[in-house]
Amino acid sequence: MLRDTYVEINLDHMAYNIRKIRQFVGENVAIAAVVKANGYGHGAVEIAKTIMENGGDCLAVATLTEALELRNVYPEYKIFIMGYTPDEYLEYVIDNNITQCIFSIEQARILNDLSKLKDKKAVVHIKYDTGFNRLGYRDCQESIDEIIEIFKLENIIVEGIFSHFALAGDEANKKQFNDFMNAIDKIEKSGNKLKYKHICDSISAIDYPEFNLNMIRPGAILYGLKSFRKNDIDLKQVLTFKSKIYYIKKIKKGEGVSYNYKWKAHRNSIIGTIPFGYADGYPRNMAGVGMVTINGHRAPIIGVICMDQCMVDVTDIPFVKEGDHVVIYGDGSNNTLDIQEVSKLGDTNKNEIISRITRRTPRVYIKNNKIDKILNYLCEGENESVEYKR
Ligand SMILES: *Cc1c(COP(=O)(O)O)cnc(C)c1O
């Protein structure tokens, strides 16, 4: 692995989660599995197969580059860019048979002309804004008229329409959903058929199944993260983040640790140094609140968190020694901090905690309860991870 700080990805749990989601939504709802941000830190390329073989219908990403990374490895999977792609890059969308989000007639025309030149058809989903105010056609009659114009473009296939919940409460959700349905109704009454209609992300898909229509876009729940409030499904956290103690030393009461001596020993202490830092995606603002688990005991992170290392107070951990395993993010068992607890301490959400883990940290994939593959982004030639490039 060449590094002792790594992320373990349990593909058995991933498969379990997607099957549970499939069970929950039934056979008539397509699952556009959201694998943007390198599959929320899990490694988009590596998890895609598990997702698609266990009930996923399509892979959804935010950017063209994310789509191309997947397309290079998977010529057959359906890939959908939920975000905006600038005009000058639309050619890549066509060349690589990627489904594109569209919300203007100007862009649709550009896509249509390019497709005509290449003798191809571009598949698009219309983004319709029902109040999130990020991307999408604003909710009005002119927008509907324009969308109907897009249907007339010969080399464009309008396959779907989608919107996004702001999740601002039951009433606000209901209003967004109703506005979305009214728009769909008008478009379909004009004689145009929309194969896919979707508005639900993870939370809304579980809490408001009545809004699932015939496609959902789950991200967080694929990875075993639960944020819903009303309903529940059984999920297993996929990711754990681990390291090892590299160095242990005794310091005297009054000595400081790390930059600016923000932490000072209030007693004679034993300090462990662990090789992970904010450049691995660990939040720097965890200083003073963060903890790791060593031999089933929690150890507080002390002092300023460095780019590549941090120090923990292990004075109260019996028999602690160099080389001991450290759990940075666990699943809550054996006194570990799960992603939920980490996100609370870091004053952020669970998606941010996992998606920010950088490519410096190797990924170790577990399948059928054993190591299936080690992916070291920085030196792919050094292990089997080159396989995925074939
Ligand atoms: C990221 C994203 C999702 C998935 O969100 P989760 O909360 O992780 O389920 C769904 N739809 C869109 C448009 C997104 O950008």
Side-chain angles (χ1 to χ4, degrees):
M1 185 155 44
L2 303 173
R3 196 172 172 216
D4 289 323
T5 296
Y6 63 97
V7 163
E8 201 173 273
I9 310 289
N10 191 316
L11 294 175
D12 301 328
H13 289 184
M14 182 114 237
Y16 181 87
N17 293 343
I18 186 100
R19 289 198 298 264
K20 283 288 166 189
I21 297 165
R22 170 58 69 207
Q23 249 176 35
F24 183 87
V25 299
E27 289 302 320
N28 299 325
V29 177
I31 298 173
V34 180
V35 296
K36 60 189 178 188
N38 197 26
Y40 290 44
H42 294 62
V45 164
E46 301 300 323
I47 60 172
K49 204 156 173 248
T50 302
I51 290 171
M52 296 302 274
E53 285 175 359
N54 287 280
D57 295 288
C58 124
L59 300 167
V61 293
T63 69
L64 173 64
T65 47
E66 291 175 329
L68 293 177
E69 185 193 23
L70 289 164
R71 177 57 81 226
N72 284 339
V73 184
Y74 303 110
E76 302 299 332
Y77 292 158
K78 188 161 172 175
I79 300 171
F80 167 44
I81 299 176
M82 301 182 292
Y84 172 74
T85 299
D87 297 347
E88 59 267 42
Y89 306 135
L90 287 176
E91 196 174 342
Y92 291 87
V93 167
I94 303 164
D95 289 344
N96 292 282
N97 300 322
I98 293 163
T99 303
Q100 176 62 50
C101 152
I102 285 287
F103 50 94
S104 84
I105 183 79
E106 291 79 17
Q107 239 204 347
R109 287 197 181 115
I110 293 171
L111 198 61
N112 184 59
D113 293 347
L114 283 167
S115 302
K116 203 172 280 176
L117 280 176
K118 292 171 185 289
D119 199 20
K120 291 181 89 162
K121 299 218 174 191
V123 182
V124 305
H125 285 214
I126 303 290
K127 181 97 200 243
Y128 200 79
D129 187 1
T130 51
F132 197 101
N133 281 319
R134 185 169 58 180
L135 294 183
Y137 271 110
R138 297 194 60 79
D139 183 28
C140 63
Q141 185 58 44
E142 293 86 89
S143 296
I144 307 281
D145 295 341
E146 225 182 271
I147 292 165
I148 291 167
E149 285 304 304
I150 296 178
F151 273 92
K152 295 181 186 154
L153 299 171
E154 255 173 51
N155 290 60
I156 298 272
I157 297 168
V158 181
E159 187 195 52
I161 187 163
F162 71 115
S163 193
H164 195 64
F165 281 125
L167 298 172
D170 285 357
E171 212 168 302
N173 291 343
K174 183 86 190 140
K175 180 177 185 318
Q176 280 194 262
F177 183 75
N178 287 341
D179 291 348
F180 189 44
M181 293 316 290
N182 283 334
I184 290 172
D185 197 47
K186 285 183 191 160
I187 294 164
E188 298 209 307
K189 280 216 170 100
S190 75
N192 297 297
K193 187 130 183 48
L194 291 153
K195 183 170 172 200
Y196 292 113
K197 303 150 197 176
H198 46 116
I199 188 167
C200 284
D201 62 359
S202 292
I203 294 175
S204 42
I206 305 302
D207 274 348
Y208 306 91
E210 66 274 26
F211 298 157
N212 281 347
L213 299 169
N214 66 354
M215 182 177 258
I216 59 167
R217 304 184 307 269
I221 49 178
L222 295 174
Y223 310 101
L225 305 183
K226 299 178 170 193
S227 293
F228 21 90
R229 309 216 167 97
K230 298 162 183 279
N231 294 331
D232 198 11
I233 62 169
D234 190 39
L235 300 171
K236 295 178 176 176
Q237 190 179 298
V238 174
L239 175 150
T240 50
F241 190 11
K242 298 179 174 177
S243 191
K244 268 186 188 174
I245 304 180
Y246 267 11
Y247 190 47
I248 285 186
K249 73 182 77 64
K250 290 184 172 153
I251 65 169
K252 292 231 152 58
K253 179 177 174 180
E255 279 192 67
V257 170
S258 193
Y259 294 112
N260 296 320
Y261 294 159
K262 282 226 172 133
W263 185 89
K264 280 193 177 146
H266 64 278
R267 57 177 175 176
N268 292 340
S269 304
I270 306 173
I271 305 301
T273 303
I274 309 175
F276 74 95
Y278 60 83
D280 296 299
Y282 192 82
R284 188 171 175 275
N285 71 351
M286 293 288 267
V289 293
M291 289 173 276
V292 298
T293 305
I294 301 163
N295 304 333
H297 298 269
R298 290 188 171 192
I301 296 173
I302 53 166
V304 170
I305 292 166
C306 308
M307 189 182 275
D308 322 297
Q309 302 174 77
C310 64
M311 275 62 82
V312 294
D313 181 356
V314 294
T315 314
D316 297 324
I317 299 183
F319 312 116
V320 68
K321 60 185 186 307
E322 289 168 358
D324 277 356
H325 292 277
V326 174
V327 180
I328 307 166
Y329 306 156
D331 63 2
S333 66
N334 202 21
N335 222 359
T336 58
L337 288 80
D338 64 11
I339 308 288
Q340 165 70 21
E341 188 174 2
V342 171
S343 66
K344 279 254 161 63
L345 292 174
D347 199 20
T348 180
N349 71 0
K350 296 185 280 295
N351 282 357
E352 186 190 345
I353 291 294
I354 56 174
S355 64
R356 60 186 292 161
I357 298 173
T358 59
R359 293 191 186 215
R360 185 170 79 178
T361 308
R363 269 63 168 175
V364 176
Y365 293 90
I366 307 292
K367 195 172 172 181
N368 301 323
N369 278 320
K370 50 183 209 292
I371 294 180
D372 183 54
K373 183 179 278 188
I374 294 168
L375 172 57
N376 198 335
Y377 290 102
L378 303 194
C379 30
E380 287 175 359
E382 306 295 333
N383 56 42
E384 310 91 316
S385 72
V386 285
E387 243 185 344
Y388 90 87
K389 287 252 160 180
R390 269 195 318 222

